[in-house]
């Protein structure tokens, strides 16, 4: 079979001579095939490059996310550790306050039937500890518990529950014979016998409303406490506080004397509830 050729005629601009180029048809097919193959190779390489670029971008994103997760994990561990310490400290504080309240005799005298419990229906999963959410929930619970304990403590501290001084009762609350006239009389407090100059202490947190001489009381200190309580300390030889001053339970407010209507050194001590005299004896340990 005769070979087929394509003849290309080339006409130069500066020459009248023609140039003929005979190209076998098989060579054209070969060139076309190589060109087509090259095209597909280039297209394939292009898609491969795009795929590699996408994977590199994804890898970089994953590496950045992994680094962020490591930082978040460290921060989470640090936060968990800090919360655990806070929870432990608050639990210890709550235990100390609870023990102090339980040992106070006022709680036994004023307390009713033991009762309590949670005010919300908490799922068991939320009661488990060990994760940050659970620790945060426990911390919130402890804050509420400490608020409640603090309220109880303030109530106890603001209620006269201790002796104002070490001594013995020389005259009780209630009916008695007047020591000066021998007539029937009503004694609105208790007389606690002690040596002159013995320190007298506040029996509850409060504010000094009176600190001056008041007729039959002699040198008198009146403390106002929350919840409607007031206490009076009469026949003092001297003052340690001034009117308007805030005092804490066990603070020294004056000294035993025999000023006013008194036959010997002692402290006249009154407890009043909403300005009505009550028997101080149940409040004395």
């Amino acid at each position: 079979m005769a070979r087929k050729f394509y003849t290309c005629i080339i006409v130069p601009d500066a020459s009248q001579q023609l140039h003929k180029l005979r190209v076998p048809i098989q060579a054209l097919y070969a060139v076309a095939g190589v060109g087509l193959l090259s095209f597909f190779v280039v297209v394939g390489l292009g898609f491969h490059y795009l795929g590699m670029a996408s994977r590199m971008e994804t890898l970089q994103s994953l590496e950045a996310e992994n680094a962020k997760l490591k930082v978040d994990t460290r921060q989470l561990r640090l936060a968990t550790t800090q919360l655990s310490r806070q929870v432990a400290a608050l639990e210890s504080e709550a235990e100390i306050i609870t023990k102090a309240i339980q040992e106070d005799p006022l709680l036994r005298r004023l307390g009713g039937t033991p009762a309590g419990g949670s005010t919300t229906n908490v799922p068991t999963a939320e009661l488990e500890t060990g994760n940050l959410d659970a620790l945060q929930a426990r911390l919130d619970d402890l804050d509420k518990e400490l608020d409640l304990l603090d309220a109880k403590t303030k109530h106890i501290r603001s209620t006269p529950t201790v002796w104002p001084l070490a001594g013995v009762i020389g005259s009780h609350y209630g009916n008695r014979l007047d020591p000066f006239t021998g007539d029937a009389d009503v004694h609105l407090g208790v007389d606690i016998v002690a040596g002159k100059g013995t320190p007298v202490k506040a029996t509850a947190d409060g504010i000094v409303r009176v600190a001056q001489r008041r007729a039959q009381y002699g040198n008198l200190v009146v403390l106002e406490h929350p919840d409607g309580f007031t206490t009076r300390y009469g026949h003092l030889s001297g003052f340690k506080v001034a009117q308007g001053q805030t005092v804490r339970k066990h603070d020294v407010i004056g000294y035993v004397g025999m000023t006013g209507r008194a036959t010997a050194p002692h402290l006249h001590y009154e407890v009043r509830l909403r300005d009505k005299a009550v028997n101080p004896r149940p409040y004395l340990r």
Side-chain angles (χ1 to χ4, degrees):
M1 176 181 294
R3 296 183 63 186
K4 294 182 179 180
F5 293 90
Y6 283 97
T7 301
C8 297
I9 299 174
I10 301 174
V11 183
D13 292 336
S15 175
Q16 299 298 323
Q17 185 178 1
L18 298 180
H19 298 280
K20 295 182 180 180
L21 178 64
R22 298 182 66 196
V23 180
I25 193 171
Q26 290 83 0
L28 291 178
Y29 289 157
V31 171
V34 170
L36 185 61
L37 180 61
S38 298
F39 171 78
F40 284 116
V41 169
V42 170
V43 171
L45 289 174
F47 280 111
H48 179 72
Y49 174 79
L50 292 176
M52 287 293 293
S54 177
R55 284 193 292 271
M56 285 297 296
E57 184 179 353
T58 302
L59 180 60
Q60 291 174 351
S61 176
L62 289 175
E63 288 178 347
E65 185 176 351
N66 186 45
K68 183 177 182 300
L69 286 174
K70 288 181 179 179
V71 173
D72 291 344
T73 300
R74 285 196 294 268
Q75 292 177 344
L76 182 62
R77 288 176 180 173
L78 180 61
T80 302
T81 301
Q82 292 175 340
L83 279 178
S84 296
R85 291 175 180 172
Q86 291 180 32
V87 168
L90 290 179
E91 285 180 339
S92 177
E93 182 179 351
E95 185 176 353
I96 293 172
I97 296 176
T98 300
K99 185 177 179 180
I101 292 176
Q102 290 173 345
E103 291 177 351
D104 195 294
L106 178 65
L107 184 64
R108 295 193 291 272
R109 288 198 296 270
L110 299 183
T113 302
S118 175
T119 58
T120 56
N121 183 17
V122 183
T124 301
E126 293 185 12
L127 300 177
E128 297 176 356
T129 60
N131 57 66
L132 191 61
D133 291 339
L135 286 172
Q136 185 62 56
R138 178 58 179 149
L139 194 62
D140 294 340
D141 289 342
L142 281 171
D143 283 338
K144 295 177 182 177
E145 183 178 343
L146 285 173
D147 287 342
L148 178 60
L149 291 174
D150 184 57
K152 290 181 179 179
T153 303
K154 287 181 178 178
H155 173 69
I156 292 175
R157 290 194 60 87
S158 64
T159 305
T161 61
V162 296
W163 285 72
L165 75 166
V168 294
I169 294 180
S171 181
H172 290 272
Y173 171 88
N175 296 326
R176 69 168 185 177
L177 297 179
D178 187 280
F180 287 92
T181 65
D183 296 335
D185 184 28
V186 177
H187 193 219
L188 298 180
V190 294
D191 291 338
I192 305 175
V193 180
K196 183 179 179 180
T198 301
V200 176
K201 298 179 180 179
T203 58
D205 293 354
I207 298 175
V208 179
R209 290 305 180 197
V210 176
Q212 54 187 306
R213 195 175 185 92
R214 289 295 188 189
Q216 296 184 353
Y217 282 105
N219 290 333
L220 173 69
V221 169
V222 178
L223 300 182
E224 180 182 74
H225 313 285
D227 300 325
F229 282 101
T230 55
T231 51
R232 297 182 180 182
Y233 309 79
H235 308 312
L236 301 174
S237 63
F239 302 105
K240 187 69 183 295
V241 294
Q243 185 175 359
Q245 182 178 336
T246 298
V247 297
R248 301 277 288 173
K249 183 179 283 192
H250 303 296
D251 284 352
V252 175
I253 59 174
Y255 304 94
V256 171
M258 54 177 296
T259 56
R261 196 169 186 268
T263 59
H266 72 280
L267 173 71
H268 174 80
Y269 176 63
E270 290 184 23
V271 175
R272 290 177 171 255
L273 183 58
R274 286 178 283 277
D275 207 27
K276 180 179 180 181
V278 297
N279 188 1
R281 193 66 185 88
Y283 295 93
L284 299 176
R285 292 183 177 179

